[in-house]
Amino acid sequence: MTKALIVGGGIAGPTMAMALQRAGIDSAVYEAYDRPADYTGMFLNTASNGLDALRAIDVDVAETADGFPMPRMRMWSGTGKPLGEVANGVRLADGTVSVCVKRGLLQKVLREQALERGIPVQYGKRLESYQATRDGVVARFADGTTATGDILIGADGIHSRTRQIMNPEAPKPSFTGLVGVGGYSHVAGLAPTIGTQHFVFGKRAFFGYLVRESGEIYWFANLHRPDEPTREELAQTSSQEWKRHLLGLFAGDMPLINEIIGNSTGEIGAHPVHDMPTSPLWHRGPVVLIGDAVHATSPSAGQGASMAIEDAITLAKCLRDTPGTTAAFTVYEQLRRNRVEKVVAYSRKLSNSKTAGPLARVFRDMTMPIALKIFASDKAHAWMYTHHIDWDTPISQAA
Ligand SMILES: Cc1cc2nc3c(=O)[nH]c(=O)nc-3n(C[C@H](O)[C@H](O)[C@H](O)COP(=O)(O)OP(=O)(O)OC[C@H]3O[C@@H](n4cnc5c(N)ncnc54)[C@H](O)[C@@H]3O)c2cc1C
């Protein structure tokens, strides 16, 4: 196999291209946006397992994408009662801990590293359709151009066009009942929360924040919405309107929350939170899916980017070590499906705990300190955070 077409230049796409290059396979990345969107999205957690997987392609998020360690989480009730402190993931034997990073910067660094390594990344290439041929696959883009390759890798995110073409019956992403809103702020005199992200279970909504050494505050809120808001509705809501709405929602909770929201600088972004518990088809013919395109997770577990990265590294190894693309895709699915579905289910459970009625709230505030001790231990989470993909060990077909 000589050439892979990679659709999507988010997190999974450039990672896939660099991993394929290391496996000796050429590729090109085709991104729908007409220019890099390096300032979209808020901030996200790259977990220790994701950071570990990136080592296979020599990318260091902390060094290159202004990532900073975030090893702890502290929980509070809306009234300011401490509910407990837990590790944010598991510290690996070499000291690696989860890192917080602006999503756009992570994407920028991955793209720039791919370009530096000679991998073409083309913009304005929105995949419209593809056709399997006798020798491979032809991709057709909305600008009327085409590209030909041996395989096509759909890394085109949660609303993947590749997935829709491969399997028109595929389940749609499901709305989790939460809307994520967030931005950046500055509150004079507020001390940095080095290494600790704070989470508050407010009366009507969930709030998270951290303060960097520079004083910059990263914050987000999760609001309960029984019906899914349209993209238009969210796009038409101004930052001022969000501010007013949030100030009302958090009135009566810890006053610091409204101080942070009230002092927000720049744009306040909002997006509906989706996930996709399972996807029946991961590959068909010369086409395979990775990242959010095949198993989107809600952000609560902080694993979306890490799962996409793991997929890319694993698929590259499968293509390197397994004769025949269909066999390689099958082994890839065998290695990934159970793990990612377990992560999506775990994250959905966390999302559900963010919204509770008055009675459930009292119960949660009473039981959480004990529950955190039992369920949030290193042992309980090792399966998720210590997953290691050894680049040099060949994939065995028996996997
Ligand atoms: C704008 C944006 C903001 C986000 N913000 C957050 C956040 O704040 N916190 C968080 O936890 N997670 C966030 N996520 C999700 C998180 O980044 C993903 O879980 C993770 O990065 C998975 O990566 P991916 O490459 O599979 O998908 P994505 O990062 O979504 O990348 C998919 C890429 O494919 C492109 N694409 C889509 N359709 C086509 C097409 N037809 N043809 C060609 N290209 C196409 C998209 O433009 C995008 O660049 C965000 C995602 C996006 C797209």
Side-chain angles (χ1 to χ4, degrees):
M1 205 244 302
T2 55
K3 185 167 181 204
L5 311 176
I6 300 173
V7 177
I11 308 296
T15 307
M16 185 75 240
M18 289 186 271
L20 284 178
Q21 187 183 57
R22 194 158 175 212
I25 298 166
D26 284 343
S27 68
V29 177
Y30 300 91
E31 165 58 44
Y33 275 114
D34 54 8
R35 66 179 73 92
D38 293 338
Y39 300 97
T40 56
M42 292 181 271
F43 54 96
L44 53 75
N45 189 59
T46 312
S48 49
N49 48 300
L51 297 170
D52 184 65
L54 278 175
R55 289 197 184 119
I57 51 165
D58 295 321
V59 172
D60 185 328
V61 171
E63 211 171 82
T64 55
D66 191 30
F68 48 97
M70 198 43 64
R72 287 180 304 278
M73 302 187 285
R74 194 170 295 165
M75 316 292 177
W76 302 85
S77 75
T79 56
K81 177 185 162 205
L83 299 177
E85 183 171 306
V86 290
N88 176 24
V90 175
R91 186 179 290 270
L92 302 185
D94 66 0
T96 302
V97 292
S98 299
V99 154
C100 181
V101 65
K102 287 184 178 170
R103 182 191 173 279
L105 266 184
L106 176 60
Q107 183 173 294
K108 178 172 186 274
V109 162
L110 291 169
R111 181 191 69 249
E112 286 175 350
Q113 298 243 352
L115 286 167
E116 267 171 35
R117 298 175 196 196
I119 296 162
V121 180
Q122 294 191 38
Y123 285 84
K125 298 290 173 190
R126 179 172 294 280
L127 181 82
E128 235 173 36
S129 64
Y130 69 74
Q131 196 164 16
T133 62
R134 231 177 41 179
D135 322 318
V137 58
V138 179
R140 288 178 202 288
F141 301 104
D143 65 357
T145 58
T146 60
T148 304
D150 299 298
I151 59 169
L152 185 149
I153 300 173
D156 45 353
I158 189 162
H159 303 292
S160 168
R161 176 74 188 134
T162 314
R163 181 183 70 238
Q164 288 160 13
I165 303 166
M166 178 192 288
N167 180 13
E169 309 300 317
K172 305 252 176 307
S174 70
F175 177 56
T176 59
L178 294 177
V179 173
V181 187
Y184 301 94
S185 177
H186 196 281
V187 173
L190 188 60
T193 61
I194 314 260
T196 303
Q197 194 165 359
H198 292 258
F199 296 108
V200 187
F201 292 88
K203 270 197 217 66
R204 288 172 287 268
F206 181 84
F207 190 77
Y209 76 95
L210 63 93
V211 189
R212 294 197 71 177
E213 265 173 286
S214 63
E216 187 181 23
I217 302 169
Y218 292 30
W219 67 266
F220 74 90
N222 286 150
L223 324 181
H224 181 55
R225 264 287 293 254
D227 56 317
E228 182 175 349
T230 60
R231 282 182 195 208
E232 293 71 34
E233 178 191 335
L234 294 180
Q236 281 162 14
T237 308
S238 70
S239 296
Q240 276 312 319
E241 285 169 311
W242 275 121
K243 223 182 233 188
R244 267 199 303 278
H245 182 57
L246 292 172
L247 290 173
L249 273 183
F250 288 109
D253 286 326
M254 284 164 88
L256 176 61
I257 298 177
N258 275 353
E259 233 182 304
I260 292 174
I261 295 168
N263 281 291
S264 282
T265 47
E267 206 181 312
I268 295 179
H271 60 272
V273 177
H274 291 103
D275 66 10
M276 213 167 53
T278 189
S279 212
L281 270 188
W282 280 48
H283 59 94
R284 178 178 265 173
V287 181
V288 63
L289 301 168
I290 61 171
D292 277 13
V294 70
H295 54 64
T297 170
S298 63
S300 298
Q303 283 283 348
S306 298
M307 286 299 115
I309 292 163
E310 285 185 6
D311 281 355
I313 306 297
T314 306
L315 177 58
K317 278 189 67 175
C318 291
L319 288 163
R320 178 194 66 185
D321 298 342
T322 318
T325 47
T326 306
F329 293 166
T330 304
V331 177
Y332 155 71
E333 180 183 346
Q334 281 169 3
L335 288 170
R336 298 297 300 156
R337 183 186 272 279
N338 286 348
R339 173 166 172 77
V340 298
E341 290 185 356
K342 197 169 162 187
V343 169
V344 177
Y346 170 73
S347 194
R348 174 61 86 115
K349 228 157 94 188
L350 291 183
S351 295
N352 291 344
S353 73
K354 288 176 171 176
T355 51
L359 266 181
R361 218 163 40 230
V362 172
F363 182 72
R364 180 192 60 208
D365 292 355
M366 272 167 46
T367 55
M368 186 173 279
I370 304 153
L372 285 178
K373 282 203 181 93
I374 301 169
F375 297 113
S377 65
D378 277 11
K379 206 171 147 200
H381 288 152
W383 67 271
M384 193 157 52
Y385 294 105
T386 63
H387 183 79
H388 174 65
I389 306 165
D390 188 75
W391 180 260
D392 295 322
T393 307
I395 294 278
S396 116
Q397 285 257 18

